[in-house]
Amino acid sequence: MFLSKSFGYALRGVLYVALLEPKGKKIKIEQIADKLAVPRHFLAKIMKKMVQENILTSTKGPYGGFSLSPITLQTKLLHLVKITDGMEQFNTCVLSLRKCNSKNPCPLHFQMLQIRDGMLAEFSKTSIGDLLDKKNPDFIKSISVI
Amino acid sequence: MFLSKSFGYALRGVLYVALLEPKGKKIKIEQIADKLAVPRHFLAKIMKKMVQENILTSTKGPYGGFSLSPITLQTKLLHLVKITDGMEQFNTCVLSLRKCNSKNPCPLHFQMLQIRDGMLAEFSKTSIGDLLDKKNPDFIKSISVI
DNA sequence: TTCAAAAAAGACATTAATGTCTTTTTTAGT
DNA sequence: ACTAAAAAAGACATTAATGTCTTTTTTGAA
Ligand code: FES
Ligand code: FES
């Protein structure tokens, strides 16, 4: 309901790179997909989009893989949502009637506005770096299927 | 993202019946689908589920159609969500990792908990009757595509 | 320069949500 | 009893999201 699987894969993928990449090596998509138990090629498409948006960098060829970009840790979650789910949901009426609009509200409009604005606020202020907790030795578990 | 189309159709359908039924007549699915510009047979399936849950009543045959049940107006929106979308979304991790669980939280857990609890609270306290505004001559417009 | 490793790209498959059409069942009135 | 009207049921179609497989492009190192 709230967010697509793609969004979850994107966030877990970038967090995995952020957690391990500082060791110096690039992270291969195969390793990410294996460790996170995510469909490899599906994840690859999502990672590619993140690279296009400069949320990650990647290099092809031997010793290649994914690594952080200068903006990775400052990237807001809303940017990931934009990439994976799009922003239409935030200004489309929950009853699928039309563009959501306070001048011409549906019966649920103001309730939904509050909920969506809460989510928008949270995702606008929270960055990928905010979610990364390198000090926690169990952090890797928190982004893996148990 | 937030809710399915089915949910929107369900709410608009039941509000349409609640708005017009007190005139004494049963409301036919054909009329509802036409006036709300909703796929007729798809809506019919959703209406049937609401009847099974006693959120509406229906009678077959000539002069039949849909009408309110004793509990229609007291029905909480969460009941509609249960019918159309299910409740799993409220206790499944946003990262699709597993059952959502504060003892073993994913990096987004507490942010999502707040958002979801806000939505749960709103949908638990708001009833169909709360959304029905018979005094408003434009209410019908607010549940129709403009 | 060739080779192998890796991401990128693209074709295709599966699944879940949404939508359409037809048949069956029920029922009010004649 | 018969007929017609209406919901209910069910078969099938379309679409969007998710997932798999293969080919192409890029690149570092021998
Ligand atoms: S008009 Fe329906 S949610 Fe805003
Ligand atoms: S554990 Fe992920 S949202 Fe609760």
Side-chain angles (χ1 to χ4, degrees):
Chain A
M1 182 201 257
F2 289 92
L3 293 162
S4 69
K5 285 192 176 190
S6 293
F7 170 81
Y9 294 161
L11 179 58
R12 291 165 63 200
V14 69
L15 283 173
Y16 185 85
V17 174
L19 184 67
L20 297 192
E21 188 257 1
K23 314 288 182 198
K25 292 214 200 176
K26 308 285 180 62
I27 313 290
K28 293 194 277 279
I29 186 78
E30 189 169 14
Q31 179 187 353
I32 307 173
D34 282 357
K35 293 295 171 56
L36 301 184
V38 156
R40 172 182 166 154
H41 298 286
F42 192 52
L43 177 62
K45 288 173 195 170
I46 297 167
M47 299 293 279
K48 182 190 60 173
K49 285 191 201 171
M50 291 198 282
V51 169
Q52 289 168 343
E53 296 280 332
N54 196 33
I55 292 171
L56 286 172
T57 49
S58 66
T59 55
K60 292 180 172 184
Y63 304 88
F66 292 90
S67 51
L68 300 188
S69 81
I71 67 165
T72 306
L73 297 182
Q74 288 75 54
T75 300
K76 305 300 186 188
L77 299 185
L78 199 61
H79 196 165
L80 289 187
V81 173
K82 259 178 217 159
I83 291 174
T84 58
D85 299 61
M87 292 298 290
E88 301 73 28
Q89 58 198 315
F90 288 104
N91 66 358
T92 298
C93 173
V94 69
L95 302 185
S96 309
L97 291 170
R98 55 205 163 213
K99 285 268 181 233
C100 174
N101 167 5
S102 292
K103 296 288 183 207
N104 207 337
C106 75
L108 256 183
H109 175 74
F110 294 103
Q111 287 92 336
M112 289 312 297
L113 198 62
Q114 185 189 357
I115 292 162
R116 289 193 302 207
D117 284 358
M119 181 149 168
L120 267 179
E122 193 66 39
F123 279 59
S124 296
K125 80 171 185 229
T126 305
S127 70
I128 291 171
D130 293 335
L131 297 184
L132 184 64
D133 183 6
K134 291 194 191 180
K135 304 299 176 60
N136 177 2
D138 286 339
F139 184 76
I140 182 74
K141 283 189 196 164
S142 79
I143 59 172
S144 309
V145 179
I146 295 179
Chain B
M1 181 199 256
F2 289 94
L3 292 162
S4 68
K5 286 193 176 189
S6 292
F7 170 81
Y9 293 162
L11 179 58
R12 291 165 64 201
V14 67
L15 283 173
Y16 185 86
V17 174
L19 185 67
L20 296 193
E21 188 257 3
K23 314 286 184 203
K25 289 214 202 177
K26 308 285 180 63
I27 313 291
K28 293 193 279 278
I29 188 76
E30 190 169 13
Q31 180 188 353
I32 306 172
D34 282 358
K35 292 296 172 54
L36 301 183
V38 155
R40 172 182 166 154
H41 297 287
F42 191 53
L43 177 62
K45 288 173 193 169
I46 298 167
M47 298 293 279
K48 181 190 62 173
K49 286 191 201 171
M50 291 198 280
V51 168
Q52 288 167 342
E53 296 279 332
N54 197 32
I55 292 171
L56 286 173
T57 49
S58 67
T59 54
K60 292 179 171 184
Y63 304 90
F66 292 90
S67 52
L68 300 187
S69 81
I71 68 166
T72 305
L73 297 182
Q74 287 77 53
T75 300
K76 305 301 187 188
L77 298 185
L78 199 60
H79 196 166
L80 289 188
V81 174
K82 260 178 217 163
I83 291 174
T84 58
D85 299 61
M87 292 298 290
E88 301 72 28
Q89 58 197 317
F90 288 104
N91 66 358
T92 298
C93 172
V94 70
L95 303 183
S96 310
L97 291 171
R98 54 205 164 212
K99 284 271 180 227
C100 172
N101 167 7
S102 293
K103 297 290 182 202
N104 207 338
C106 76
L108 255 183
H109 175 74
F110 294 104
Q111 287 91 334
M112 289 311 299
L113 199 62
Q114 186 190 356
I115 293 162
R116 288 191 304 205
D117 283 357
M119 180 148 165
L120 266 180
E122 192 66 38
F123 279 59
S124 296
K125 80 172 185 227
T126 306
S127 69
I128 291 170
D130 292 336
L131 298 183
L132 183 65
D133 183 6
K134 291 194 192 180
K135 304 299 175 59
N136 175 3
D138 285 339
F139 184 77
I140 183 75
K141 283 188 195 165
S142 79
I143 59 172
S144 309
V145 180
I146 295 179

